[in-house]
Amino acid sequence: MLLVRALAALALLGVGLAGGLAAVLVHAWWWGLVLGLAAGALTTLALPAGGWRLAFVVGWFGAIVYAVLPRAEGDYLLPGSTAGYTVLGGSFLLLLVALATSPRPGTAARGRQCRGSDDPGVSPG
């Protein structure tokens, strides 16, 4: 079961990388900018909060980080234009959403411990 989850997380990382790179490659056209950011945002929101969402967004953001690094020719895949800054800002927003919706460490274990009948926050049946 752990192997399946690890493979799924790696697959989501790869899908995020591919999606982020595709968004960078078509962001110069208005329809590509809208389509790229909408695809990233909808995929992020469709994935459950936590590890799956974070794996996708880390892949997406990794592609964006790669695109802002200078190439050998001295130029960038993601230029300093309005469209480029929009892709960069949208990617930061996706990362912020993924981090903000991730569960805090220990909340799952704490939730299992607090489900007893002696918990004052839980009303009896």
Side-chain angles (χ1 to χ4, degrees), residues 16 19-21 23-24 27 33 36-37 40-41 44 56-65 67-68 78 83-99:
L21 185 60
V24 166
H27 82 278
L33 178 66
L37 288 177
T44 300
F56 172 79
V57 172
V58 165
W60 177 282
F61 200 72
I64 301 301
V65 167
V68 298
L78 198 62
Y85 284 123
T86 304
V87 171
L88 188 61
S91 299
F92 274 116
L93 188 61
L94 290 180
L95 183 64
L96 183 66
V97 166
L99 290 174

Side-chain angles (χ1 to χ4, degrees), residues 33-125:
L33 178 66
V34 172
L35 183 66
L37 288 177
L42 291 175
T43 305
T44 300
L45 294 176
L47 290 169
W52 305 126
R53 183 180 289 176
L54 198 57
F56 172 79
V57 172
V58 165
W60 177 282
F61 200 72
I64 301 301
V65 167
Y66 178 73
V68 298
L69 296 175
R71 298 187 325 173
E73 299 86 22
D75 57 349
Y76 300 91
L77 280 175
L78 198 62
S81 63
T82 304
Y85 284 123
T86 304
V87 171
L88 188 61
S91 299
F92 274 116
L93 188 61
L94 290 180
L95 183 64
L96 183 66
V97 166
L99 290 174
T101 58
S102 293
R104 293 186 316 207
T107 54
R110 195 176 310 132
R112 283 191 295 265
Q113 292 172 352
C114 294
R115 291 200 181 124
S117 60
D118 58 339
D119 186 6
V122 177
S123 60

